[in-house]
Amino acid sequence: GNNDGFYDDDDVNDDDRAGGGVDFSNTRTRGLCLSTEHTLTRVVRRPEFSWQEGLTFSETPIHVGSRSNVTAIIVVNCLPRLLFGSILAHEMTHAHFRLTPGYPRKINRKVEEGLCQLIACLWTEREAQKIDGNDEEAKNQLALAGCIAHNIRNEPSEIYGDGARIALHRYEKLGNCRDVFDCVKNTGQFPEYDA
């Protein structure tokens, strides 16, 4: 554990493994969105009578409501601004799902990670459009932005990679993020479109 607020790569990955994180062999965790969920359940007791058992009560749990809190967003320190920003955009999208009313409590992992990757990719590409100049620093920033976006679009994993490609495809078909997110809010799934 680290109490100074700064986390290096090993701290975050140790915490991820300790928490039952999935081992993707060649990947490293660079960011986490930590949240808690509070669920309120009421138990309704109903009397029942039978000659064999006499008076008994049946109990039926009823889900009254739930709320989520985001307790922290953690990003590995000492990263280049564009990489840090893309990771933060990804983790803030997880926070959006936890804090915005109306989303399903459990979104399919490929859908959620795909949308988080979509936002990270769009943020990176928009930041790249703001880079001005033809000096070495500007060229390096553009190259880094291109690398980050390329890696998101070409990630080989099913959850992050396929999820991102589906999310990007739906975004391109609909032309905006709001409609994609609204569909996920209403159905828990990506909008349906032919390939």
Side-chain angles (χ1 to χ4, degrees):
N2 186 332
N3 293 325
D4 62 8
F6 295 101
Y7 294 84
D8 66 17
D9 197 35
D10 289 331
D11 287 333
V12 172
N13 282 284
D14 288 345
D15 288 345
D16 191 38
R17 282 189 290 276
V22 178
D23 177 23
F24 293 108
S25 65
N26 289 331
T27 62
R28 301 285 288 175
T29 299
R30 295 177 293 188
L32 296 169
C33 177
L34 305 177
S35 63
T36 59
E37 183 171 327
H38 305 277
T39 303
L40 181 60
T41 304
R42 192 174 102 197
V43 177
V44 176
R45 294 184 66 186
R46 291 191 174 98
E48 296 177 350
F49 179 79
S50 71
W51 290 106
Q52 288 83 12
E53 297 180 30
L55 183 62
T56 60
F57 290 89
S58 66
E59 294 184 352
T60 306
I62 298 173
H63 176 77
V64 176
S66 62
R67 66 180 169 87
S68 294
N69 293 321
V70 171
T71 56
I73 291 177
I74 300 171
V75 179
V76 172
N77 67 345
C78 298
L79 297 174
R81 183 187 75 81
L82 289 171
L83 182 55
F84 181 90
S86 72
I87 295 166
L88 185 58
H90 177 108
E91 299 307 330
M92 288 178 67
T93 307
H94 283 298
H96 171 78
F97 292 130
R98 303 297 171 274
L99 298 175
T100 305
Y103 282 99
R105 283 180 40 210
K106 300 285 186 196
I107 300 174
N108 174 288
R109 189 150 180 249
K110 185 194 287 189
V111 173
E112 183 169 344
E113 295 298 347
L115 290 173
C116 291
Q117 290 292 77
L118 168 68
I119 297 303
C121 188
L122 294 176
W123 182 88
T124 303
E125 290 172 346
R126 289 201 176 121
E127 285 299 302
Q129 293 171 356
K130 297 176 188 176
I131 296 171
D132 191 26
N134 205 15
D135 61 353
E136 199 62 34
E137 177 64 20
K139 290 177 185 176
N140 288 340
Q141 291 297 304
L142 284 171
L144 178 58
C147 180
I148 293 167
H150 173 83
N151 286 344
I152 291 171
R153 291 176 179 274
N154 294 290
E155 163 67 39
S157 74
E158 177 184 353
I159 300 294
Y160 290 85
D162 290 351
R165 284 182 285 280
I166 294 168
L168 283 159
H169 179 258
R170 298 316 191 263
Y171 166 77
E172 290 164 359
K173 286 285 189 185
L174 292 173
N176 66 74
C177 287
R178 181 178 303 273
D179 289 345
V180 177
F181 276 71
D182 283 348
C183 182
V184 171
K185 184 185 277 190
N186 294 327
T187 68
Q189 297 296 322
F190 287 121
E192 290 297 323
Y193 284 101
D194 296 329

